[in-house]
Structures are given as C-alpha cells and as structure tokens.
Amino acid sequence: MIKFERFELSNGLKVIAHRDPTSPIIAMNIIYKVGSRDESVRRTGFAHLFEHLMFGGSTNIPKFDIPLEKAGGENNAFTNSDFTNYYLTLPKNNLEVAFWLESDRMNNLAFSQASLDVQRQVVIEEFKQNYLNQPYGDAYLLLKPLAYKKHPYRWNTIGKEISHIEKASMNYVKSFYKKYYNPNNAILSIAGDISISEIELLSKKWFEPIRKGKDIDILYPNEPIQTKQRKKSVFRNVPQNAIYMAWHMPKRADIRFYHCDLISDILSNGNSSRLFRKLVKEKSVFSEINAFVTGDLDNGLFIIIGKLMDNKTMDMGVEAINNEINILSTDLISKYEHEKVMNKIESNLIFSQISVLSKAMNLGYYELLGDAEKWNKELEIYRSIQRADILNTACKIFQAKNQNTLLYNRL
Amino acid sequence: MHINRSKMPTTGKHIQLNISEPNMVILDNGIETYIIDEGEVDFTRLDFVFNAGSAIQNKGLIAESTIQLLADGTNTMSSEDIAKKLDFHGAIIDTNLTKDKASLTLYSLNKQLPKLLPILKDMFENASFEEYELSNYINRKRHQFSLNIDKVKFKAMLEFNKLIFGSDSSYGRVKELSDYDAVLRQDLVSFYNSQYTPQNTYIIASGSVKSDTISNINKYFGTNQGKPVIGSINKFQVVDVTSINKFIKKEGSLQSAIRIGKPVIGKQHQDYNSLIVLNTILGGYFGSRLMSNLREQKGFTYGVNSYIMNYQHGNYWSIATEVNADHTDEAIDEIRFEINRLMNEKVSNTELDIVKNYIYGTYLRSFDGPLAKAERFRSAKDLDLNFEHYVSSLDEMMTQTPKQLHTIANEYCNYEKMIVLVVGKTKNDNIAI
C-alpha cells in the first residue's frame, strides 16, 4: 500500500504527495495532459518538440538544467501519444529548488528563437538516430497508419515526417504553450522524505499564483471499427525478415485492457511464455518474438513483433503466430498459467514501489487515469480476472478482420 | 504571499552519504556473502558474481554463452522446467557480463525465495549445456549480432575496444561473426567447471534481507565444494598499443559514430578523482561542455558523453557520440577544441561549483536504497575496493580547485595522444583524422 495525500490548488493544479522517510532523495513529477494525439495532422511531432523547448529557458531561469545541477539534481522527460511527463530528483534539503524550477516554466517560457532553432535540429537528429538510421527503425512509422485511419494515433510521437518539425514556428509554439501548459491541465506528484504540510505550503507559494488556463475539452475522432484484414509489405536493407502484427484493443481504463495485458504476458513474458517456448525454442521459426499492449488512453493496439529465422518464410511466420492466437481464442488458459502470470504481475508491481522516482511517476500516472488510488487497487483488479474473461477478450480481439500485418522484408 | 522568482532558493548543505560497509557472512564452503538489509518493501535482490568474464575465456563467446545458458537445463531439469518454475514464482532474472565478471541477479518477493533458491543452486552446480540448447541459442544470437553490427554505434563500440586494448589482448578481443560457428559444448563445460566454483564466487543480498533468507543462502549455496579443475584457464594477455586513428566507411549512413579516447589511470591512482571531475566538466552530465557545444548550440547530435571505464587490469577514457553524418568533421573539430580548452584555460569557480554539486547529487542518488547500494558495492568490489573508497573519493572531488584541475588536464588530456575512430562518413574519406 502506498499512502499519499492529494489536494487541488485554486488554479486547478492537482498535487499528490507521498512520504518515504528512508530516502535522501526527493522525486518530483509533472504530467501535462498533452501528447501527439493533440497534434494537427499537418504539424505532427510537435508535442515532443515542445518537450525539448521546455528546457530552453523560462522567464527567470535561462537554462533549466544549470540551477538544477547546482542543487545536485537530475531530470528528464518523455512524450507519448497521450501526455508529456517531466521528472526530476534532487537531495531532499533542496526541495524548494524543484518547486522554483517547475513553477517558473509553468508560469512562463522565455520563447527564445535560438532555442527553437537548435531544438528543431536536435529533434531531427533524434528522428534520424532512432527511426531512420537503424534497422527496423521506421516500422512503427509504417504500422501505426496501417492500423489507424482516423484517430491521431495514426502518427508516431516523433512525427510523421521531418518536414513537420522543420516547419515549426514560434507563433505556434506560443499558442501551444498557452493552450496546454496550464496548472489546470497538469498533475504534480512528489515522493520522498517530506512533510505533507510543507508540500502544501510550497505548492501554494510557487504554483498557486500561476493563472489558470481555459479548460480543454477535446473529443478525439473515434477510430472506425476495422472491417477487413490489412496487410502491407516493404523491402529494406535489414539482416532478417520481420513480422509486425497489430490488433485494435480497448483503452487503458477498460477492464478488458487488463485481459489483454495478461494475454501479452502469457504470450511473451518470460522464458516459459508460449511464443518463446514454441516459436523460438521448439520450432525455431523466430530468433526473437514479443507481444505487448500499447496501454493508450484511447483504444490502443495489441502488438506482436517477430524476427524470422533465415530458413523460414514469411508465410510460415504468419501462420505460426496465427496458430497461437487461435489457441488463445478457443481454449481456456490452464490454472497453472493463470497463477503464473498473476505472480509475475505481483512481483513487478511490488518492485515498482521501491524507488521514490518510480513512486512519484506512478502516482501521477494513475491520477491521470482518474485516481492515484488506482495504483493500490491494481493487483486486486488483476486478481479478479477469471480465465473465461481472458478467453472472451481473446476471441473478440483476435478476429482476422481486426488484424494488421506489416511484412518487413530483407532486400 | 510575495515570491521572488528571479532568485534561486538557497540550497542546503551536503548531506553525508549514509553508507556503512555491508555485513559479511561466510558460507560453509567459504563463499563471501555481503548483506545490505534496509528494505521496507518485502523484496530481496541477490547478486551472484563469478570470476567468469570475457577476458578469461580462451575463445570468443564462451563466457557470454555460459552465463546465458545457465537457465537452459541441468542434469535434472529441462530448460522448460526451469523457465516454468522461475516464471511461476515471479522471479525477475538478469544476467550481466563484463570483461572481468559474469553475474546473475535475482529479484524476488521474500515469500517466493524458498522456492527459487534450489533452482538457482541447480543452475550453478549442475548446468548441462545440452547440444540442442546451445545450437538454438547460437542461431538466435548470430541473428541478433548481424542485426547489431549494421548499427554504426555497435560497430564503433567493438572497434574502439580493439584500438584501446589491442585486438589480440585479453581485454581487446571482441566478438566476430565467425565466433558463432566455433562455440563447442565442451568449451562451455570446461569454462563452467573452472570458473563457477565457490572460490570464484561472491554473493550480495540486498533489500529486506530476513535472517531465514541468510540461512537459506547458506543451505543452498554453502554446500558446494566445486569440481576438480582439469586444464587451465586463459592467461591474461596484454599487448602494447600504439595509438592509431581509424575510419570505417559506411555507405548511406545518416549518422557517424565517433569515439575518441585513450587508456588512463585507474581508481587507486592519486589523480583519479581529479580526472573524474575533469571528465564530468567535459562530457559527464547534461550541462557538460560537449553537450552544450555539440547538442545545445550546434544541433549536430541528440547526445554526446564522456566516461571512464574501469576494469581490473585496465581503464580507458572515452568520448562517444553519434552525429549527423554531414557534420562529422566539424563535430570532431569541436571535440578537439573542448579537450584543448581543458588544458588551455582554468575552469571557472561557477562551473566547477555546478559540477561538484552535480557529482554529489549523483552519489546521493546512486546510494539511494539497498538495491542501488548493491549495484555500487558490486562495482567497488570488482575492483577490490569498498564503500569507504566512495566516501573518500567524494570528499576529495569536493576539494578540487581550478588550479589543480588545470595541472591534471595538462598531464592527461592531450588530444594528440588520443585514438580517434569514426564509423560512418566524413567529407574526405582519405583524411588522417
């Protein structure tokens, strides 16, 4: 059980505080509810570029990192389809520095043209390094638009193309900031050797004067239900053939998300998992294979990725995966397998409750899902799932008409 | 409430590192077991560390295959049996290989430990390395290798290691595609019998370590007396290296991987702590000179860093980055400029102050909690050091002056003595880099 206190400032900022007296380190996490799903189709990659700009100086702090490093701190950030997450850790007696830093960039950015020019270049390098310059790097750039036709999940967080990032203008940066980077669109969470009253005091002091923004009420376009199997084949200079398969699945808040998560564990979590056992070890169809869920706030994807052995054809690979999927859709998993995945879930969950950073991040994330207390209920939810639930959901998800296949061929 | 946003809140005094040496328990067969018991969460981490690193092997891939195949079958359990049991009890297992050591780490809920320890015991004492498992493993790894070798970063990592230590030395040899065809079952069995013995093992138990866990550790790992060793292990080989620069062309590559560095002094040397501070200034943190220059001012790269690698018999200092291939030559020029700057001018007190505080914060973070401490203890122990060493090093780093650093920079940071490696493209393929 992770105990925490929660309150809301008059400007709408939600604050969560967890006390861990054993650590000399404080972790602070801020989630802004803006991700690549909020981008327009002609300006993709912007939420992530913006994350970089958040380090390029605010009104009173020309460079975010310098004072933080002076206070013995370290930080980083990431952007995904749904939100942008900033986190930092620093020695506990420098707690107020964290409040000063994060509140200043929520209060007002400096909007430096030089920072925008450089960060555009940095992000373009990131695009090249992770998506273009390495084998299979563009697979998601291909898979997402195959699976999504309407919903903004059809592009990746890094963006659809480099030209979108090249075109990012200062005017757009400003309006984006004004729209999304507001206290009422953010969640602040803190873990460490703190007192709750001190957190209340500091939150009021540094964050409450920040003006509330306009409430945002966005409706994302619903992805139409897929009615026909989709396939795409590409040829690239890669060492081995690979198969990417994706099925639409329910959103994170849906109970069936948990079913899908368990299915992905049954398929590929650990050396006794089905795909590894049968398709890698026994039949040597793949050299590696993985199944996972995207866990998005809107309806997400169930993904399987396999790298084919040289002496196996694409057809054999596809058939092998489909066989396993069919078994899950027809037979109940065994009691033994059921208990196994539950035990694994329990280990991982407890493990995530050890470090202050992980605690601050998770509390913020579950609050984003609707209630930080959900983190404490997570194991209970998993435990409530019956084998029949898993079978039912597998049947629904793994229909051929819901399937998207990307064949990534070696040239 | 009035607030002054233009002024940074005052920072507190440095908190003393709270690290006392772990308790050591000697198992019945002599294995040293170090206990770091501080956990609130009912969880234990166990590190089993063996003198079985890649420098000790006679042939490529033997050390790596041995540690990675431990869970793939024993005399009484098949690979599937082991996998099922480990997964069933929620074990999280990691293996790790350095030049000096091989290790296996188990993370487990305390309630599951009694079920997991006997399985690990069997893996450490009776691994069978079946032909079938070996060939299956080798086939998969060969695939992964051919995938990785296409990346400029991976290629650079291997090549640089050869340049630093000499490609025929124990530390300099790196894996090659042809190694995958030469691994024999017997190589693994011999290596396992000679290196996975009580004399070559130590254990770290961290987290919420209960007394019955300690007695279980002795029960399962304290009885093995090892096997008689036949044959001898590889003799450690060192070769003289004359620094050379190398350029490996990679057609169509969007980025070039750059590695610049040289062998340096190790942790026991009196100048080492000064060198760490210099390294941090140069490329050891986000606000470092290389990062500010190459990433924040020029946008040549997504990241650049510098670091010192320590092994039992050698250390090296390296700068590593992947840059936009069109700017390869300019990036090298800037790196040279920043290295020379360390020698040409004294660091300002302001910058030094930031770096010291950053280092202090890093230390505090890296000792946060028993699991993190286990990690730190391991890296100290592998170099025959202890926690006390960290405390005195940190103290020493905190007292460095610009003048001292300037002297040390002139002793160790001469760019002309560094090895430069580029994998990718440069404007002029024939350049002497």
Side-chain angles (χ1 to χ4, degrees):
Chain A
M1 267 293 273
I2 297 297
K3 287 191 192 142
F4 60 88
E5 294 286 329
R6 194 170 22 182
F7 55 91
E8 193 173 319
L9 301 181
S10 59
N11 58 13
L13 178 69
K14 289 202 172 100
V15 185
I16 302 166
H18 161 72
R19 182 160 184 270
D20 177 348
T22 65
S23 177
I25 297 289
I26 300 271
M28 179 182 273
N29 192 73
I30 296 198
I31 289 176
Y32 289 95
K33 298 179 207 169
V34 56
S36 57
R37 70 173 173 174
D38 298 292
E39 294 160 351
S40 98
V41 61
R42 283 184 302 277
R43 283 168 167 162
T44 66
F46 199 83
H48 168 250
L49 171 63
F50 199 88
E51 172 211 313
H52 281 246
L53 298 177
M54 281 290 276
F55 294 91
S58 51
T59 320
N60 299 291
I61 307 170
K63 284 210 78 176
F64 184 87
D65 293 284
I66 292 177
L68 179 64
E69 283 154 357
K70 220 168 167 171
E74 199 171 59
N75 78 102
N76 214 332
F78 64 83
T79 310
N80 63 29
S81 309
D82 301 319
F83 60 97
T84 312
N85 189 104
Y86 300 83
Y87 56 94
L88 62 85
T89 54
L90 78 185
K92 65 179 181 183
N93 52 358
N94 292 339
L95 173 63
E96 189 157 7
V97 175
F99 277 89
W100 172 69
L101 280 163
E102 286 296 2
S103 65
D104 203 53
R105 61 180 179 180
M106 186 187 286
N107 193 37
N108 212 352
L109 273 191
F111 301 112
S112 122
Q113 184 63 43
S115 164
L116 175 59
D117 293 343
V118 168
Q119 292 309 321
R120 266 196 305 240
Q121 272 322 109
V122 171
V123 170
I124 290 169
E125 279 315 301
E126 185 181 354
F127 200 126
K128 289 183 190 165
Q129 184 166 317
N130 295 341
Y131 298 85
L132 304 178
N133 201 27
Q134 61 172 321
Y136 312 103
D138 67 344
Y140 284 104
L141 304 181
L142 300 163
L143 185 66
K144 290 265 209 143
L146 183 66
Y148 291 104
K149 298 302 171 193
K150 278 272 181 318
H151 193 283
Y153 287 165
R154 69 188 184 276
W155 56 82
N156 283 261
T157 307
I158 193 72
K160 264 170 78 166
E161 46 192 277
I162 287 183
S163 71
H164 287 190
I165 297 158
E166 282 166 344
K167 281 188 299 201
S169 73
M170 186 52 89
N171 274 343
Y172 195 62
V173 169
K174 286 182 179 165
S175 66
F176 192 87
Y177 181 75
K178 196 174 166 198
K179 185 166 178 188
Y180 296 108
Y181 278 75
N182 296 313
N184 47 321
N185 200 39
I187 299 162
L188 171 70
S189 50
I190 299 142
D193 188 8
I194 43 113
S195 79
I196 305 299
S197 58
E198 187 185 15
I199 297 298
E200 260 181 274
L201 204 77
L202 290 171
S203 302
K204 286 209 165 90
K205 176 176 172 186
W206 292 101
F207 282 98
E208 199 145 57
I210 302 173
R211 238 186 298 159
K212 185 177 177 180
K214 256 196 204 152
D215 282 326
I216 308 169
D217 194 16
I218 311 162
L219 280 178
Y220 301 98
N222 264 331
E223 180 63 24
I225 290 170
Q226 188 175 334
T227 52
K228 245 173 80 188
Q229 198 173 1
R230 296 174 192 148
K231 255 190 187 167
K232 188 182 175 83
S233 189
V234 295
F235 290 83
R236 296 282 189 273
N237 183 20
V238 288
Q240 53 187 138
N241 290 329
I243 297 171
Y244 291 75
M245 277 193 190
W247 295 263
H248 294 276
M249 61 165 269
K251 59 184 177 186
R252 183 64 178 78
D254 192 303
I255 183 68
R256 289 168 302 167
F257 162 82
Y258 294 84
H259 305 166
C260 291
D261 191 34
L262 288 174
I263 294 170
S264 72
D265 281 352
I266 290 163
L267 285 175
S268 87
N269 188 353
N271 285 349
S272 73
S273 61
R274 293 186 181 186
L275 293 181
F276 182 75
R277 218 62 245 165
K278 295 195 206 161
L279 305 188
V280 176
K281 293 293 296 273
E282 282 166 30
K283 298 184 182 149
S284 296
V285 181
F286 295 96
S287 64
E288 53 182 307
I289 186 160
N290 273 300
F292 57 94
V293 293
T294 54
D296 297 312
L297 296 189
D298 292 332
N299 290 345
L301 295 176
F302 188 105
I303 297 176
I304 294 181
I305 303 175
K307 303 256 161 69
L308 266 182
M309 294 298 280
D310 276 348
N311 58 355
K312 300 292 188 295
T313 64
M314 285 286 199
D315 285 346
M316 290 159 95
V318 170
E319 196 195 322
I321 295 175
N322 280 335
N323 272 340
E324 288 307 316
I325 293 309
N326 287 338
I327 295 172
L328 271 170
S329 319
T330 23
D331 303 336
L332 276 179
I333 61 164
S334 70
K335 281 187 180 154
Y336 162 84
E337 231 175 350
H338 187 215
E339 197 175 337
K340 180 183 83 176
V341 288
M342 291 300 179
N343 287 341
K344 203 109 190 182
I345 295 264
E346 187 182 1
S347 274
N348 284 320
L349 209 62
I350 303 282
F351 189 53
S352 71
Q353 298 178 346
I354 294 179
S355 87
V356 284
L357 180 58
S358 163
K359 286 192 277 193
M361 290 176 91
N362 273 296
L363 287 170
Y365 174 68
Y366 281 90
E367 185 65 25
L368 173 73
L369 293 181
D371 179 3
E373 187 54 35
K374 279 190 176 166
W375 196 25
N376 285 322
K377 305 246 170 74
E378 200 73 342
L379 190 59
E380 217 175 290
I381 297 178
Y382 278 107
R383 290 244 176 248
S384 74
I385 294 165
Q386 304 298 311
R387 292 185 294 147
D389 299 330
I390 294 174
L391 179 63
N392 282 338
T393 299
C395 273
K396 291 211 182 72
I397 304 291
F398 295 131
Q399 297 184 49
K401 64 178 184 184
N402 190 32
Q403 189 178 49
N404 300 279
T405 307
L406 170 67
L407 300 176
Y408 204 105
N409 299 276
R410 173 173 61 184
L411 264 178
Chain B
M1 199 182 308
H2 173 74
I3 50 165
N4 182 359
R5 289 196 184 275
S6 63
K7 201 167 162 284
M8 176 175 172
T10 41
T11 52
K13 283 212 175 77
H14 289 184
I15 306 166
Q16 200 54 44
L17 282 184
N18 166 28
I19 41 175
S20 39
E21 299 295 333
N23 284 329
M24 202 241 288
V25 174
I26 297 183
L27 306 189
D28 291 346
N29 58 356
I31 293 184
E32 293 178 356
T33 300
Y34 297 87
I35 317 285
I36 303 173
D37 170 31
E38 309 181 343
E40 299 256 299
V41 181
D42 222 8
F43 209 86
T44 296
R45 164 183 170 147
L46 289 178
D47 292 281
F48 297 86
V49 187
F50 306 97
N51 286 330
S54 60
I56 300 161
Q57 67 197 5
N58 286 309
K59 245 165 108 173
L61 294 175
I62 302 305
E64 186 177 327
S65 315
T66 304
I67 184 76
Q68 294 191 358
L69 281 166
L70 285 183
D72 276 309
T74 67
N75 299 339
T76 50
M77 285 189 284
S78 70
S79 139
E80 184 166 12
D81 295 336
I82 296 175
K84 274 186 168 170
K85 286 183 184 164
L86 292 177
D87 282 345
F88 186 80
H89 296 290
I92 304 169
I93 288 200
D94 262 348
T95 58
N96 181 273
L97 182 75
T98 68
K99 293 182 190 302
D100 300 316
K101 306 278 181 179
S103 64
L104 184 142
T105 303
L106 165 73
Y107 301 89
S108 165
L109 294 177
N110 284 338
K111 64 176 182 187
Q112 303 281 13
L113 270 180
K115 301 277 191 226
L116 293 167
L117 297 184
I119 306 168
L120 263 55
K121 171 188 168 70
D122 204 25
M123 286 158 51
F124 297 149
E125 292 174 21
N126 305 308
S128 53
F129 305 107
E130 304 284 347
E131 292 284 2
Y132 166 78
E133 295 293 344
L134 177 61
S135 73
N136 188 298
Y137 166 85
I138 289 290
N139 283 336
R140 280 184 278 130
K141 292 292 159 175
R142 189 193 288 110
H143 270 281
Q144 280 170 15
F145 182 83
S146 54
L147 171 73
N148 284 329
I149 202 74
D150 251 20
K151 300 174 186 164
V152 290
K153 191 176 174 174
F154 186 77
K155 179 87 180 154
M157 184 184 84
L158 295 181
E159 289 297 324
F160 192 66
N161 192 71
K162 291 202 271 190
L163 293 176
I164 285 283
F165 292 112
S167 53
D168 290 327
S169 71
S170 297
Y171 275 175
R173 264 192 300 266
V174 295
K175 49 189 165 186
E176 321 244 345
L177 194 56
S178 60
D179 289 338
Y180 289 87
D181 299 321
V183 178
L184 301 176
R185 175 175 184 269
Q186 194 47 49
D187 299 325
L188 271 62
V189 173
S190 312
F191 189 75
Y192 177 73
N193 287 341
S194 72
Q195 301 312 113
Y196 287 72
T197 61
Q199 299 78 3
N200 282 315
T201 306
Y202 73 88
I203 300 172
I204 309 171
S206 56
S208 173
V209 187
K210 305 275 189 274
S211 61
D212 61 329
T213 299
I214 299 172
S215 48
N216 272 330
I217 290 174
N218 189 43
K219 176 175 165 194
Y220 291 110
F221 306 102
T223 53
N224 182 24
Q225 295 303 330
K227 294 182 182 69
V229 177
I230 306 153
S232 64
I233 64 156
N234 201 17
K235 200 163 164 293
F236 193 83
Q237 289 159 330
V238 186
V239 298
D240 284 332
V241 182
T242 35
S243 71
I244 47 156
N245 297 335
K246 192 168 177 183
F247 169 63
I248 298 168
K249 190 172 174 174
K250 200 153 182 304
E251 295 291 349
S253 130
L254 297 173
Q255 288 189 312
S256 296
I258 301 172
R259 297 290 179 276
I260 296 177
K262 60 177 220 175
V264 283
I265 51 173
K267 285 195 176 186
Q268 273 99 340
H269 194 285
Q270 54 175 8
D271 294 339
Y272 185 79
N273 291 316
S274 314
L275 199 59
I276 285 287
V277 176
L278 280 168
N279 174 65
T280 311
I281 294 169
L282 181 68
Y285 70 118
F286 193 85
S288 71
R289 291 178 177 186
L290 286 173
M291 202 65 168
S292 313
N293 184 334
L294 268 67
R295 172 175 152 139
E296 296 299 302
Q297 285 165 31
K298 312 258 170 25
F300 290 162
T301 179
Y302 179 50
V304 52
N305 69 332
S306 68
Y307 51 88
I308 297 176
M309 288 298 285
N310 304 102
Y311 302 105
Q312 277 174 347
H313 309 284
N315 314 277
Y316 69 88
W317 186 21
S318 173
I319 292 155
T321 181
E322 283 74 53
V323 302
N324 179 332
D326 295 335
H327 295 292
T328 308
D329 304 83
E330 291 153 275
I332 294 172
D333 286 345
E334 293 303 329
I335 293 171
R336 183 196 301 125
F337 170 79
E338 292 299 348
I339 292 175
N340 286 337
R341 192 146 76 93
L342 288 176
M343 305 204 319
N344 296 339
E345 52 184 71
K346 284 195 198 114
V347 56
S348 73
N349 280 313
T350 322
E351 187 180 0
L352 183 55
D353 193 40
I354 293 173
V355 166
K356 284 181 183 174
N357 284 317
Y358 172 78
I359 291 175
Y360 152 72
T362 307
Y363 265 66
L364 210 57
R365 257 188 299 280
S366 70
F367 288 102
D368 180 20
L371 274 44
K373 280 180 188 161
E375 196 85 50
R376 286 302 279 226
F377 183 73
R378 206 207 126 164
S379 31
K381 169 91 182 132
D382 287 353
L383 298 169
D384 295 322
L385 299 167
N386 56 14
F387 272 167
E388 173 49 31
H389 174 81
Y390 286 117
V391 179
S392 56
S393 306
L394 183 61
D395 286 349
E396 209 176 296
M397 285 187 232
M398 294 303 109
T399 63
Q400 297 293 311
T401 64
K403 190 164 170 252
Q404 236 175 323
L405 292 169
H406 189 235
T407 313
I408 300 291
N410 277 282
E411 171 129 21
Y412 296 98
C413 304
N414 188 348
Y415 181 85
E416 307 310 319
K417 293 192 178 150
M418 301 221 178
I419 296 166
V420 180
L421 167 72
V422 177
V423 180
K425 67 178 189 190
T426 71
K427 286 200 183 100
N428 178 358
D429 288 355
N430 303 318
I431 54 155
I433 301 160

